[in-house]
Amino acid sequence: QVQLVESGGGLVQAGGSLRLSCVASGRTGNILIMGWFRQAPGKEREFVARITWSGGNTVYADFAKGRFTISRDNAKTTVYLQLNSLRPEDTAVYYCATRSSWYNDYNYWGQGTQVTVSS
């Protein structure tokens, strides 16, 4: 199993920045991809960004392009999500998750960290 712990959320004014972290532990050798998702009140969970663990290849949701940056530190088994130019509509609980295969869905999830952007 893989355990994921997110941190770095908080309250920030519109236009501000936050850096989220997700530390993985356990059977991290099976991790192929790490991703970030978010869920706003009353809305479905949505994909934000993902990164491959070995090659560092990234994919972003359209709303994240140019504002958010995903990165990883393999030595620390940590993935980061830099959030810049935050907007009130970015308010959500942000979750990290892992996949061990291109053919399976994300199978391990963290508990989430709250990001609140005030106008």
Side-chain angles (χ1 to χ4, degrees):
Q1 285 194 344
V2 176
Q3 294 78 41
L4 302 170
V5 179
E6 302 99 330
S7 62
L11 174 63
V12 64
Q13 289 187 335
S17 299
L18 284 173
R19 189 194 195 202
L20 308 183
S21 300
C22 174
V23 179
S25 61
R27 304 188 69 168
T28 58
N30 293 334
I31 296 174
L32 176 65
I33 298 169
M34 291 193 74
W36 284 97
F37 294 76
R38 70 184 187 182
Q39 187 166 21
K43 295 187 177 181
E44 293 187 351
R45 184 174 62 198
E46 63 180 346
F47 169 77
V48 178
R50 62 104 160 139
I51 188 167
T52 57
W53 200 241
S54 60
N57 297 310
T58 58
V59 174
Y60 294 91
D62 286 344
F63 65 81
K65 293 177 181 176
R67 298 192 301 129
F68 299 172
T69 302
I70 189 171
S71 61
R72 92 268 191 243
D73 184 331
N74 291 42
K76 296 181 179 180
T77 60
T78 300
V79 65
Y80 304 98
L81 186 67
Q82 178 68 42
L83 308 174
N84 295 330
S85 302
L86 283 163
R87 307 164 180 165
E89 55 265 38
D90 294 319
T91 295
V93 177
Y94 285 71
Y95 299 90
C96 68
T98 67
R99 289 171 65 180
S100 58
S101 167
W102 290 107
Y103 306 104
N104 297 327
D105 206 347
Y106 289 86
N107 49 354
Y108 293 106
W109 293 81
Q111 82 290 347
T113 185
Q114 176 71 48
V115 171
T116 303
V117 185
S118 62
S119 57

